[in-house]
Each structure stands twice: as C-alpha cells, then as structure tokens.
Amino acid sequence: MNYKESYKLSLEQPEEYWGKAADDIHWDKTWNRVLDDSNIPFYRWFTGGELNTCYNALDYHVDKGCGEQTALIYDSPVTDTCQSYTYSELRDEVALLAGALAKQGVVKGDRVIIYMPMIPQTAMAMLACARIGAIHSVVFGGFAANELATRIDDAKPKVILSASCGIEVNRVINYKPLLDDAIEQSRHKPEHCIIFQRPQGSCKLTNTRDLDWQEITKDASPVDCVPVEATHPLYILYTSGTTGQPKGVVRDHGGHAVVMKWSMKNIYNVDAGDVFWAASDVGWVVGHSYIVYAPLLKGCTTLMYEGKPVGTPDAGAFWRVISEHKVTVMFTAPTAFRAIKKEDPNGEYIKKYDLSKFRTLFLAGERCDPDTLHWAEDHLNVPVIDHWWQTETGWSIAANCMGIEAFPVKPGSPTKAVPGYDVQVLDADGNNLPAGEMGNIVVKLPLPPGCMTTLWESDERFLQTYLAAYEGYYLTGDAGYIDDDDYIYIMSRIDDVINVAGHRLSTGGMEEVLASHRDVAECAVTGVADSLKGQLPLGLVVLAAGVDRPHGDIVDELIQLVRDKIGSVASFKLVTVVNRLPKTRSGKILRSTMSKIADGEDYKIPATIDDPLILNEISESLLALGYPSNK
Ligand code: COA
Ligand code: AMP
C-alpha cells in the first residue's frame, strides 16, 4: 500500500486498519471491539482485550529465542560507562524489580512515581510497573521539588523510585534532598521510597520509608507478567498547560503497544535487530515512546545516553555513539543540532567517525528551522526527517513515513498527516480553511490508538482543554496551515506554552511563581526567540507600590525563585522591571505584542490597547536587556 491508500484506509476503516496492526502484538485475550465508540467522546481501543506491555517488550522476544540479542545499551560519557543488557538479562532484572515492588504491596492500578536520571534502572522501573499493572509516572530529573510535589499530590503514588543522584555534565545533582523536600511539601505521602545508590554520589537513607534498591531486589523473587485490560492505564505523564497545574496525560496498554510497534516499521522504517537511538530523556514523552517502549516492542536494540550533544566531551559525542554502537536510526530535537553546529560549524568531528550504518535522522520537539535541517542533511548525507507530535498523542501526528512512502522534504514542514490522524485547519468559527491559510490545527475524532485517553482523574479538564473548542475535534494547541500538497506547517502555539530546548514549559506556571514574590505586583512571562534553544522565557515585572530595593537584587531573587520552584530546566534568566504592562481595555496583557518587540518583528498596535505609549516604555526596557538581540 502506498501512503495515499494507507492513509485513506486508516480513516475510512480504522477497525480493519488497526485490527491488522494489533495482530503483531501478543494478546492474552483477544479484544471484542477494535474501536469502542459506546461512550463518545471517550473512544477506547481494543476493549475486551487483555495483554501485558512488558511481556511484549521483553519476555516475548526471549520466548521466541532472541534472548541473547542486545536489548539495551547504556552509554554514559559522564560516568565513563558503557554497559549492555540482552533481552534475557533485561527481562530478569525487570522481573526481580517487579517482585520487589510487589513485595512492598504494589498491585495493579497503584501509581508509582519514577524520579530518576538516564540510567538503565529507570527503564527497568517503567517496565517493572508495566509488568504488574502498576501505573508509572516518570518525572523529569530537571524539575524542582515543588514540581515533583505537585505531581505526587495528583498521582498519589504508593511508592516512589529514585536514585541518589543525577549527573549534569560534571555536576552531581543530589536527588534525595529534592525528593525529601517534595514529600515534605506534598499532602500525599508515599508508603516507600526505593533509592538506587549510584557510586558517583550515594545518599543516606534516613527516613523509615526509605528502602535501598539494591538490597530489596537482592532479596526479591522474580514475578511474571500480569495480563491487564487493553484500556488499563500504562502510565501518566505530566505536561505543561496554561497554568502551573500540570496535566496528567493517561496512556493505555493496548492501543499504545499496537501503535508503538507499528510506528517502528511504518514511520521509522526499522526492523527487529536494528539499533535505534532516541537522544532525549526518559522524563519526556519521546523517551517513554522511543527510548523504552517502541524499540523494545519491535525487538530493536535501544540506546540510553547519559550525556549531552556537546561538552561530553565535545561536539563529536553523537557521532561517536552512532559509530561505536552501529546506530541505524537516530531521533533527537533540532536544538541538539544547533548546539553541535555552533561548536563545529564545518562538521569536522563528523569526519572522524564511521557512520556507514547510519540511515536516517528524525527530529521533533520543536519547529525544525531550515538552517538546521540543511546543515544536518549536508553534513550527514542521510535523509533528515522532521516530524510533529505531542505528549498527548505519544507518537507523531505528521511525518514523512519512511516505511510507507518517502516524500520529498519541504523545509519547515513535518510532511503529511500520519495514518490515523484526520488533521484539519479551522478558523475561530469552526470553518475549514483553504490550503495555505493559517488557523487552529485540529484532529477529527477519534484519535488513533496510543493517544491520551483522558487526564488523570480529570475527565472534565480533558474535555474542556482538548475537546470543547470544536465539537468532534481534538484541539492540538498548535496553529499552522496545510499546503496544496497536503504538507502540514506548524507555526506557533495558541496557548501560553513555550518550547525551550525542545522542552515544553508553561509561561502561566512561571507567572504564578513570579507573582508569589512579595515585591511583585504584576507580571507577564512570554517567549523570545533564541538561536540555540529555540525560545527562552522572558519575565516582565511591575513592582508593588513603595518597593525601593535595588532592582538587580529583586531580579536575582526572581531568577532563583523560578529555579527553586520549577527547576533549572526552565532556563529562566531574562527578567526586567517595568513601570506598567501593556493591556487591552478589558485588562488582557498583550504578551504576544511584547514577544514581537523582543524579537524585533513588525507588530500592529492592537486596536483594543489601553495606552499605546506603554509599548515605547517596554521597547526601552527590552533594549536595555539586549533585545531585540540583533540591534
Ligand atoms: N537534571 C537536572 N538538571 C537538568 C537536567 C536533569 N535531567 N536536564 C537539564 N538540566 C539543567 C541543565 O544542567 C541546565 O542547568 P543550568 O541552567 O544550571 O546550566 C538547565 O537545566 C537547562 O538545561 P538545557 O535546556 O538542557 O540546557 P543545556 O545548556 O544544559 O543544554 C542542549 C542545551 C541543547 C544541549 C540540551 O537541551 C539538549 O541536548 N537538548 C536536546 C535533546 C532533548 O533533550 N530534547 C527533549 C525532547 S526530544
Ligand atoms: P511536547 O508535548 O513536549 O512533546 O511538546 C509538543 C509541542 O512541541 C507541540 O504541540 C508543538 O508545539 C511542538 N512541536 C513538537 N514537534 C514539532 C515539530 N516537528 N514542529 C513544530 N513544532 C513541534
């Protein structure tokens, strides 16, 4: 089937299309219905079916005689370690950890938070939860204690799995104090914290709830996989929304397993035995889908890399990994390539390595700027494929599906809608827009398998956030257009979400933190363009009447406050004090106008502005901060 036929079939006969894909998965009990539409708009896939994702990712390969194949390679330049696990070894480790969790009383449906660095034990923890039907929620290690506390209160985990430390280039980040602080702040208290001790920085287990990972797994007995309903939640992954309260995206076992395996061949064109590397972090959706689940379900070798594109030790790090481990397909964010390009503009490091096994580079997480695309194409001599997706979908909405039919690349576009996604562009009134016209990008329901089923314990927020704007459609939150050849262009977000180094962050969340400072009367956070990270957050604050402390001190405190409350990953370093914020007459802060001023873009003075003169004041403050940076 070519792309056109495949796409058409997926939309017109989804049951036939995904039912066939599901044959590739081992089911303990076959489903009654491929697509269950009995409770619209809560569509469910493979209802009545039972399976276990961990079985399909590990035991299945061992049972069919591939136990000696390498399942996972851990490459860590920051600890000078390289270690690999066969499918049998990984299965055994996971079965033991699952046994240890079961011994602590973790049963099907219990939540387990995983707050860990990029080490194999993190993947083992996820798979161990899946093995016993527990629902994992991985929290990215770069988030501060306060963010972890919010997630603890929402997910209410019985157990938290963590490690003594993470390593950021040459800096040891002690996780245990952050974890203890988060539990101190949270209303919900886990029964146990299971801590993996790393030699780079061990920690004291002081609290009675703390358990030593290595000790409890030594005493545990391995357990088998528990078959669960296809609709049973596999995991919750929190992502940024418009407020500081993160949204707990819920993903099921059945649809997810089917689509993850399907995507490996159809989108990435990889087969069992190929070495697949997603250079992301397990704390993000890319890490869930393409470091852990999809490559293992497919029987590939997956790579976990604990390092950076540059500085560990140099801008040749990616090429070393590709060459040393014979990576065939790699997936990362454009920002990583911008970092490499900045240090090695002529690609000298690339020439030092044998990349003959490398076939395709996939990029996602943020808009891929044409400069980065061309640089990667020119220096790597392989197809460079931009694809568009979100935490909510868990896999790509638009891509150049290399295993179905490869199309010519158009710079700036992630190519066409992937089978299963009926992507449309609507205006504010819900009318379909003609080719080339910008509007809200939506997906007609039902979403294909593997996408979010709801928000954790918040069906109402799910409906309001994603389905209320246009009846029968999922609102992606992205704006853009589709051209005459059906190529999709993602241009911007329609909400208060910004994308910093491929990380999705809420400006609303940062505003809540700034507003909590005693000297701040009012504030706004908006995104400004950055040549390395894509965007950076910029804060503008109005001080409370009578505050006469030096502005520099307040600015330093605000930067530290965001670091403490959200985390270093927010990269919040730009903040300035202004006299007033520009607003409409109805009081809405004109954030996008301020972004445009900071970026040096043309802007129209909004007709509804309360006082146009404020924009001159804002321009002056931004100039003092160095923005627009080209002036
Ligand atoms: N634990 C603790 N701190 C972390 C962290 C983690 N897991 N990850 C990042 N941080 C910290 C960084 O050390 C940095 O701290 P600093 O401000 O004190 O220097 C801060 O958070 C910002 O991190 P980051 O935005 O990643 O910036 P960076 O300068 O360290 O690296 C890139 C920039 C481009 C090299 C890096 O972001 C990158 O490789 N990104 C591409 C891959 C990717 O992860 N994409 C995500 C989705 S696909
Ligand atoms: P996240 O949920 O963190 O994966 O972020 C998803 C958001 O990142 C999307 O809604 C887009 O705004 C942006 N994004 C992801 N991939 C792309 C891409 N290929 N092109 C443009 N924007 C992207």
Side-chain angles (χ1 to χ4, degrees), residues 270-286:
V270 298
D271 294 299
D274 277 335
V275 183
F276 186 90
W277 178 25
S280 177
D281 188 289
V282 272
W284 307 116
V285 68
V286 174

Side-chain angles (χ1 to χ4, degrees), residues 54 58 72 90 93-98 101 106 112-117 119-138 159-163 194 196 213 217 234-235 282 288 292-293 304:
C54 180
L58 299 176
L72 186 146
L90 192 58
E93 295 272 1
V94 168
L96 216 52
L97 180 58
L101 287 175
V106 178
V112 174
I113 279 190
I114 300 172
Y115 183 62
M116 294 184 67
I119 54 176
Q121 286 69 25
T122 310
M124 290 171 193
M126 295 162 75
L127 290 158
C129 290
R131 195 170 186 86
I132 54 175
I135 304 164
H136 64 69
S137 185
V138 183
V159 164
I160 299 183
L161 293 166
S162 190
I194 301 175
F196 185 82
W213 182 307
T217 43
L234 169 67
Y235 68 76
V282 272
H288 280 60
V292 181
Y293 288 112
M304 269 185 106

